[in-house]
Amino acid sequence: MSTQAQTMVRVSVVARKLGLHPITVRRWIKAGKIAAVQIGREARIPMSQIDRLLGEQPGAAIVLYGRVSGYDQKKDLDTQLLTLKAWAEQPPVAL
């Protein structure tokens, strides 16, 4: 068995690892969002595609948004922003 064949997985495995429905994965393959190889009637996806979708994207940004109703709630806004910044600085949770 070649190395390439060992790194190819079924749609159901990809769906489970990404937390998606298998139909969604098939739609993404059809739309070109995920590269796949047809083997008979089945699509097999390289593990590198899963890594690409789960990994950090270069140049990615997190946008934080906090708001209050009025100027008199500025202290609440500061608290919100501190909480949002603390959340954004936490390391990502592995699936």
Side-chain angles (χ1 to χ4, degrees):
M1 189 178 235
S2 71
T3 305
Q4 183 181 13
Q6 292 175 2
T7 60
M8 304 292 262
V9 293
R10 294 175 181 244
V11 169
S12 60
V13 174
V14 175
R16 193 174 327 113
K17 288 187 178 282
L18 297 177
L20 301 170
H21 195 276
I23 292 173
T24 303
V25 175
R26 288 186 188 98
R27 285 181 185 152
W28 285 12
I29 291 168
K30 189 174 182 179
K33 292 181 181 180
I34 299 176
V37 176
Q38 282 297 125
I39 300 178
R41 293 180 54 145
E42 291 186 15
R44 299 290 171 102
I45 297 99
M47 287 295 292
S48 61
Q49 290 293 303
I50 298 171
D51 296 338
R52 178 183 65 84
L53 292 167
L54 289 177
E56 293 182 16
Q57 298 296 322
I62 296 176
V63 177
L64 305 175
Y65 178 75
R67 72 177 298 271
V68 292
S69 299
Y71 184 78
D72 57 330
Q73 296 174 323
K74 174 119 173 66
K75 186 176 178 184
D76 294 337
L77 179 62
D78 294 336
T79 304
Q80 280 183 36
L81 293 177
L82 287 173
T83 303
L84 288 169
K85 286 178 186 177
W87 172 84
E89 290 171 352
Q90 292 178 357
V93 177
L95 297 176

